[in-house]
Amino acid sequence: MASLHWDFSVSGPVSDPKDAGFVGLRHEGNAAVLYLPHGVSTAVPHDQRPARLGLVVRLLSRYAELQLRHTPTTRGDRDGPAQGRGQSHAWSASGPQSGFHQAFAYVQLIRLLQRAGTLSIGKERRWNSEFDHRHLSASLERALLLPDGVAVLDQTLGPATVMRRQPQALVGLACWLALDGLQHLFPTPAAGTWDDRPHRTVIAEWQGLADRFAERQGLTRSASLFGDFQSIRRCLAQLQAALKACVASDPPVSSEARSLHEAVQALLHHRTGDAAGPWLGLQTFHQVWEAACLDHAIDAFGASAVVTCDTAHLDRRFDSHRAQWDEAQQRLFTFAGHSRRPDLVVRTQKGWRIIDFKYYAAAEARERFSTHPPSPDLSLVYSKDERDRSAFAKVSKPYQDVVNMSCYRWLLKERGGPPGPRAGDRIDCEFWLAGHGQTEDRNSRPWMSDLALTLVEQPAAQLLERYASGWRL
């Protein structure tokens, strides 16, 4: 039987040309499909599918947080990571439907548990120098009795509203849920790669609290909210009962406790916003690809080697260079009132390189650029036949790519000036593509020699994982 939240299939990029740039999870009828980017393998074992969902969450979240702070990425009937919304219908006939809602609920809980003081919320009466006659009987054992029988108290137990922070069952439950989500959605990365998860000392502290909670509740080591339907249902019922008991015995009265209770409640009772749409993802994933390529390229070449770049996708850590690179773009690539914007121009010891990041599958790009793209028939633009217009779009894009690269190269030569290219300087042009390999693969065709153009297949899975690791849980 299907699992509750994570019953979705995995697919490569959408085949429909209208949605070709979509990456994310969406419902199609009664089924949910996770569409992955070009270059990322779709051969995913069932138990590892949540981790693929976690990768997409991290990619879209970093792009939303770092690149689109002031630019909306969604329409009213669709979801996006900037809004953090999820499913419009949290339940189906067989249980809660798959959705980013659950993944983002884990993110919220993990971040909440990293705040100072969250792990020690609780309440207990404490000794207080202020006298409170309501707690006199509980304090008599500490009294000093005078010869005439008068009790003298230097301290009394304070009222229940006076807090002392100590671990409690709700914190243990929250830690157990957070570790379960980390294990399946955001697993430990491979050795030698950047770990964007909470620090290991924090995780160790969570583990201790979670183990004590699991022992008290009689949870087995294999208990999880990820897996088959029956085991999830048993575990979910046990955790819901534990939450109810926590609230009954120790109501969340502080702001931290209420926030933690709401985060746990959202995970265990599948809450969702009324304004949520049927899917969450990004229709224009090529922007994420360009941002990931730019981030990788600047680190690879060094910021000092960059002449200019498309700063619309620039990470905030390079903000000190933004004005300089924008000025160079304006000086070098503005002509006849038209401002062109190459993705990246760098100067190395071997010469100059103009790089355009193309979100094409490598196999598709090799076919598109096997020969010089033909000039499109402009009359097809006005055709009433949708097939003609689709044919025009398919032909015009690679042609436009080559024309743009030709313009970039010509403008760099003609308008460079000091410290631009000198006579005899080498200027290479590259299209960076999303490849399936483990290393960079370079190839070109005879017709590309006039442009010094090379198709460079980047290891897309590694490059995107690297970009996603820049987002902190």
Side-chain angles (χ1 to χ4, degrees):
M1 188 174 291
S3 65
L4 288 174
H5 314 299
W6 317 112
D7 182 29
F8 55 84
S9 59
V10 176
S11 173
V14 184
S15 56
D16 186 348
K18 294 181 180 178
D19 294 331
F22 175 78
V23 169
L25 184 71
R26 69 182 184 184
H27 287 264
E28 300 174 350
N30 294 324
V33 183
L34 177 65
Y35 289 99
L36 296 176
H38 289 300
V40 178
S41 175
T42 58
V44 185
H46 193 278
D47 61 342
Q48 294 180 20
R49 290 180 184 177
R52 281 290 190 270
L53 176 61
L55 171 63
V56 175
V57 167
R58 291 158 59 217
L59 280 171
L60 302 188
S61 296
R62 180 179 180 188
Y63 186 67
E65 290 179 1
L66 301 184
Q67 311 297 330
L68 303 180
R69 296 188 294 274
H70 307 294
T71 306
T73 62
T74 60
R75 299 209 303 261
D77 61 337
R78 297 187 175 184
D79 292 328
Q83 283 74 25
R85 302 189 221 142
Q87 277 299 115
S88 56
H89 303 290
W91 290 82
S92 65
S94 60
Q97 293 183 349
S98 308
F100 272 79
H101 162 71
Q102 284 296 111
F104 278 109
Y106 278 105
V107 171
Q108 180 185 10
L109 179 63
I110 290 168
R111 288 183 167 178
L112 185 59
L113 285 172
Q114 294 180 76
R115 294 182 185 174
T118 300
L119 295 185
S120 58
I121 60 175
K123 68 178 183 179
E124 183 180 275
R125 290 187 301 173
R126 68 179 183 183
W127 294 100
N128 197 316
S129 59
E130 296 179 4
F131 182 77
D132 189 333
H133 69 277
R134 293 175 299 176
H135 302 283
L136 180 60
S137 59
S139 305
L140 285 177
E141 62 181 16
R142 292 176 57 91
L144 174 65
L145 297 177
L146 298 179
D148 58 359
V150 176
V152 178
L153 294 168
D154 58 340
Q155 287 183 324
T156 62
L157 281 175
T161 53
V162 178
M163 301 295 172
R164 188 182 77 183
R165 299 183 177 278
Q166 65 174 16
Q168 61 166 335
L170 178 61
V171 179
L173 171 56
C175 290
W176 190 95
L177 287 170
L179 291 172
D180 192 38
L182 270 179
Q183 179 184 350
H184 293 91
L185 283 169
F186 311 107
T188 305
T193 58
W194 182 258
D195 190 352
D196 57 343
R197 309 183 327 149
H199 195 272
R200 61 179 180 274
T201 56
V202 175
I203 293 179
E205 189 172 1
W206 293 357
Q207 191 67 62
L209 294 169
D211 287 345
R212 287 196 289 273
F213 167 79
E215 184 178 357
R216 289 194 300 268
Q217 297 298 323
L219 290 172
T220 63
R221 289 189 175 274
S222 61
S224 173
L225 292 182
F226 298 78
D228 65 89
F229 184 90
Q230 295 298 338
S231 62
I232 290 179
R233 187 170 63 175
R234 288 193 299 270
C235 182
L236 184 62
Q238 206 167 351
L239 296 178
Q240 287 174 340
L243 176 62
K244 185 177 181 181
C246 289
V247 174
S249 63
D250 201 358
V253 293
S254 67
S255 60
E256 297 98 329
R258 288 196 300 270
S259 297
L260 192 62
H261 173 257
E262 290 171 2
V264 172
Q265 183 89 347
L267 273 171
L268 296 183
H269 292 280
H270 326 293
R271 289 182 176 176
T272 186
D274 295 335
W279 59 266
L280 192 150
L282 194 63
Q283 179 64 48
T284 53
F285 189 79
H286 69 273
Q287 299 174 47
V288 182
W289 172 250
E290 291 177 13
C293 286
L294 182 61
D295 197 63
H296 167 70
I298 295 178
D299 281 344
F301 293 115
S304 60
V306 176
V307 177
T308 185
C309 65
D310 186 350
T311 57
H313 303 298
L314 191 65
D315 190 271
R316 67 175 70 181
R317 61 198 174 102
F318 300 116
D319 278 351
S320 60
H321 300 275
R322 187 183 298 270
Q324 172 191 342
W325 292 341
D326 279 338
E327 187 277 331
Q329 183 273 329
Q330 184 74 17
R331 177 172 56 85
L332 295 173
F333 297 102
T334 299
F335 182 72
H338 184 71
S339 179
R340 296 184 178 273
R341 190 177 290 272
D343 289 333
L344 179 65
V345 179
V346 295
R347 184 181 184 182
T348 67
Q349 293 180 349
K350 295 181 180 180
W352 297 72
R353 294 167 73 172
I354 305 174
I355 303 173
D356 245 17
F357 311 130
K358 300 299 179 187
Y359 184 59
Y360 300 147
E364 175 191 1
R366 286 194 295 268
E367 180 182 351
R368 284 190 177 198
F369 297 108
S370 59
T371 59
H372 194 295
S375 176
D377 182 0
L378 296 179
S379 65
L380 296 178
V381 177
Y382 306 102
S383 173
K384 295 182 180 180
D385 190 336
E386 185 176 349
R387 289 174 298 179
D388 289 341
R389 296 195 298 272
S390 297
F392 172 80
K394 185 175 181 180
V395 172
S396 63
K397 186 63 174 71
Y399 177 78
Q400 182 182 5
D401 291 340
V402 173
V403 169
N404 285 342
M405 186 61 82
S406 302
C407 291
Y408 299 153
R409 194 163 186 261
W410 179 81
L411 287 170
L412 186 60
K413 282 184 175 181
E414 295 298 318
R415 298 175 58 82
R422 296 170 295 185
D425 278 1
R426 181 187 177 94
I427 302 178
D428 291 317
C429 302
E430 299 176 2
F431 287 156
W432 280 17
L433 312 170
H436 280 87
Q438 299 297 313
T439 58
E440 181 180 281
D441 185 21
R442 307 172 68 88
N443 59 81
S444 59
R445 299 290 186 270
W447 69 267
M448 299 178 181
S449 58
D450 291 341
L451 270 178
L453 178 61
T454 304
L455 302 182
V456 182
E457 298 179 17
Q458 295 290 344
Q462 297 177 23
L463 195 148
L464 291 174
E465 178 62 42
R466 177 189 177 280
Y467 184 72
S469 68
W471 177 71
R472 302 294 300 178
L473 272 171

